[in-house]
Amino acid sequence: MASLNERLKGFRTILLMAPVVLLSILDQIGAIDLEPILLSLGLTPAQASAAPGIIALAAIVLRAMTSTPMGRRG
């Protein structure tokens, strides 16, 4: 049986970014307000404003770790 890492190969970036995109869209259309949610999780206002950049950095790291195109297994 393939390891979880192998089964997720090519999909890790998508799995991380899809909820981020959905939350961002909901925030932009006014369905939710992300700032109070992030603050309630214990983030400071500075950390909450840095969250998108941190998530983007995580996506870059994930893409650097994989050798397969997004959505395909090696």
Side-chain angles (χ1 to χ4, degrees), residues 20 23-27 32-39 48:
V20 173
L23 288 172
S24 295
I25 290 169
L26 291 173
D27 186 48
I32 62 171
D33 187 4
L34 281 178
E35 186 176 5
I37 295 169
L38 294 173
L39 295 176

mmCIF file of all heavy atoms in Angstrom, residues 20 23-27 32-39 48:
data_model
loop_
_atom_site.group_PDB
_atom_site.id
_atom_site.type_symbol
_atom_site.label_atom_id
_atom_site.label_comp_id
_atom_site.label_asym_id
_atom_site.label_seq_id
_atom_site.Cartn_x
_atom_site.Cartn_y
_atom_site.Cartn_z
ATOM 1 N N VAL A 20 -8.534 27.799 1.223
ATOM 2 C CA VAL A 20 -8.098 29.197 1.341
ATOM 3 C C VAL A 20 -8.805 30.049 0.297
ATOM 4 O O VAL A 20 -9.301 31.140 0.597
ATOM 5 C CB VAL A 20 -6.562 29.303 1.198
ATOM 6 C CG1 VAL A 20 -6.121 30.756 1.146
ATOM 7 C CG2 VAL A 20 -5.876 28.559 2.322
ATOM 8 N N LEU A 23 -12.528 30.404 1.332
ATOM 9 C CA LEU A 23 -12.686 31.367 2.423
ATOM 10 C C LEU A 23 -12.461 32.795 1.939
ATOM 11 O O LEU A 23 -13.174 33.718 2.341
ATOM 12 C CB LEU A 23 -11.735 31.037 3.575
ATOM 13 C CG LEU A 23 -12.099 29.801 4.395
ATOM 14 C CD1 LEU A 23 -10.986 29.475 5.370
ATOM 15 C CD2 LEU A 23 -13.420 29.997 5.114
ATOM 16 N N SER A 24 -11.489 32.982 1.061
ATOM 17 C CA SER A 24 -11.222 34.319 0.519
ATOM 18 C C SER A 24 -12.399 34.833 -0.302
ATOM 19 O O SER A 24 -12.771 36.004 -0.200
ATOM 20 C CB SER A 24 -9.963 34.303 -0.351
ATOM 21 O OG SER A 24 -8.847 34.014 0.434
ATOM 22 N N ILE A 25 -12.982 33.959 -1.103
ATOM 23 C CA ILE A 25 -14.149 34.350 -1.907
ATOM 24 C C ILE A 25 -15.313 34.721 -0.989
ATOM 25 O O ILE A 25 -15.972 35.748 -1.182
ATOM 26 C CB ILE A 25 -14.543 33.231 -2.891
ATOM 27 C CG1 ILE A 25 -13.489 33.096 -3.987
ATOM 28 C CG2 ILE A 25 -15.924 33.488 -3.492
ATOM 29 C CD1 ILE A 25 -13.647 31.869 -4.855
ATOM 30 N N LEU A 26 -15.556 33.883 0.023
ATOM 31 C CA LEU A 26 -16.651 34.171 0.956
ATOM 32 C C LEU A 26 -16.416 35.483 1.692
ATOM 33 O O LEU A 26 -17.356 36.246 1.944
ATOM 34 C CB LEU A 26 -16.812 33.021 1.954
ATOM 35 C CG LEU A 26 -17.343 31.709 1.379
ATOM 36 C CD1 LEU A 26 -17.297 30.608 2.429
ATOM 37 C CD2 LEU A 26 -18.743 31.881 0.820
ATOM 38 N N ASP A 27 -15.166 35.771 2.018
ATOM 39 C CA ASP A 27 -14.831 37.038 2.672
ATOM 40 C C ASP A 27 -15.071 38.208 1.726
ATOM 41 O O ASP A 27 -15.626 39.243 2.119
ATOM 42 C CB ASP A 27 -13.373 37.005 3.145
ATOM 43 C CG ASP A 27 -12.972 38.221 3.955
ATOM 44 O OD1 ASP A 27 -13.728 38.601 4.878
ATOM 45 O OD2 ASP A 27 -11.903 38.799 3.680
ATOM 46 N N ILE A 32 -18.752 36.041 4.938
ATOM 47 C CA ILE A 32 -18.067 35.890 6.216
ATOM 48 C C ILE A 32 -17.070 37.033 6.370
ATOM 49 O O ILE A 32 -16.739 37.695 5.392
ATOM 50 C CB ILE A 32 -17.318 34.537 6.354
ATOM 51 C CG1 ILE A 32 -16.219 34.414 5.287
ATOM 52 C CG2 ILE A 32 -18.276 33.364 6.309
ATOM 53 C CD1 ILE A 32 -15.305 33.217 5.477
ATOM 54 N N ASP A 33 -16.627 37.244 7.594
ATOM 55 C CA ASP A 33 -15.572 38.218 7.852
ATOM 56 C C ASP A 33 -14.427 37.450 8.493
ATOM 57 O O ASP A 33 -14.548 36.977 9.627
ATOM 58 C CB ASP A 33 -16.074 39.335 8.765
ATOM 59 C CG ASP A 33 -15.063 40.460 8.927
ATOM 60 O OD1 ASP A 33 -13.998 40.403 8.272
ATOM 61 O OD2 ASP A 33 -15.344 41.386 9.699
ATOM 62 N N LEU A 34 -13.341 37.279 7.763
ATOM 63 C CA LEU A 34 -12.237 36.450 8.239
ATOM 64 C C LEU A 34 -11.474 37.052 9.410
ATOM 65 O O LEU A 34 -10.967 36.315 10.247
ATOM 66 C CB LEU A 34 -11.259 36.167 7.096
ATOM 67 C CG LEU A 34 -11.670 35.091 6.116
ATOM 68 C CD1 LEU A 34 -10.626 34.957 5.013
ATOM 69 C CD2 LEU A 34 -11.869 33.772 6.808
ATOM 70 N N GLU A 35 -11.376 38.367 9.486
ATOM 71 C CA GLU A 35 -10.550 38.966 10.533
ATOM 72 C C GLU A 35 -10.984 38.559 11.941
ATOM 73 O O GLU A 35 -10.155 38.105 12.728
ATOM 74 C CB GLU A 35 -10.510 40.482 10.403
ATOM 75 C CG GLU A 35 -9.546 41.102 11.401
ATOM 76 C CD GLU A 35 -9.411 42.596 11.237
ATOM 77 O OE1 GLU A 35 -10.120 43.189 10.411
ATOM 78 O OE2 GLU A 35 -8.589 43.171 11.958
ATOM 79 N N PRO A 36 -12.275 38.662 12.303
ATOM 80 C CA PRO A 36 -12.656 38.229 13.650
ATOM 81 C C PRO A 36 -12.431 36.733 13.882
ATOM 82 O O PRO A 36 -12.121 36.316 14.991
ATOM 83 C CB PRO A 36 -14.143 38.566 13.756
ATOM 84 C CG PRO A 36 -14.471 39.424 12.605
ATOM 85 C CD PRO A 36 -13.381 39.283 11.589
ATOM 86 N N ILE A 37 -12.572 35.950 12.830
ATOM 87 C CA ILE A 37 -12.330 34.510 12.959
ATOM 88 C C ILE A 37 -10.864 34.258 13.288
ATOM 89 O O ILE A 37 -10.541 33.499 14.203
ATOM 90 C CB ILE A 37 -12.742 33.767 11.668
ATOM 91 C CG1 ILE A 37 -14.247 33.873 11.456
ATOM 92 C CG2 ILE A 37 -12.299 32.305 11.717
ATOM 93 C CD1 ILE A 37 -14.727 33.405 10.100
ATOM 94 N N LEU A 38 -9.972 34.912 12.552
ATOM 95 C CA LEU A 38 -8.542 34.739 12.807
ATOM 96 C C LEU A 38 -8.158 35.269 14.185
ATOM 97 O O LEU A 38 -7.351 34.668 14.889
ATOM 98 C CB LEU A 38 -7.723 35.423 11.710
ATOM 99 C CG LEU A 38 -7.855 34.809 10.316
ATOM 100 C CD1 LEU A 38 -7.133 35.677 9.295
ATOM 101 C CD2 LEU A 38 -7.347 33.394 10.285
ATOM 102 N N LEU A 39 -8.744 36.384 14.584
ATOM 103 C CA LEU A 39 -8.457 36.943 15.902
ATOM 104 C C LEU A 39 -8.967 36.020 17.010
ATOM 105 O O LEU A 39 -8.320 35.866 18.040
ATOM 106 C CB LEU A 39 -9.058 38.342 16.045
ATOM 107 C CG LEU A 39 -8.474 39.412 15.116
ATOM 108 C CD1 LEU A 39 -9.230 40.731 15.282
ATOM 109 C CD2 LEU A 39 -6.989 39.595 15.341
ATOM 110 N N ALA A 48 -2.845 38.137 11.740
ATOM 111 C CA ALA A 48 -4.012 37.931 10.877
ATOM 112 C C ALA A 48 -3.796 38.562 9.508
ATOM 113 O O ALA A 48 -4.160 37.983 8.488
ATOM 114 C CB ALA A 48 -5.268 38.493 11.540
#
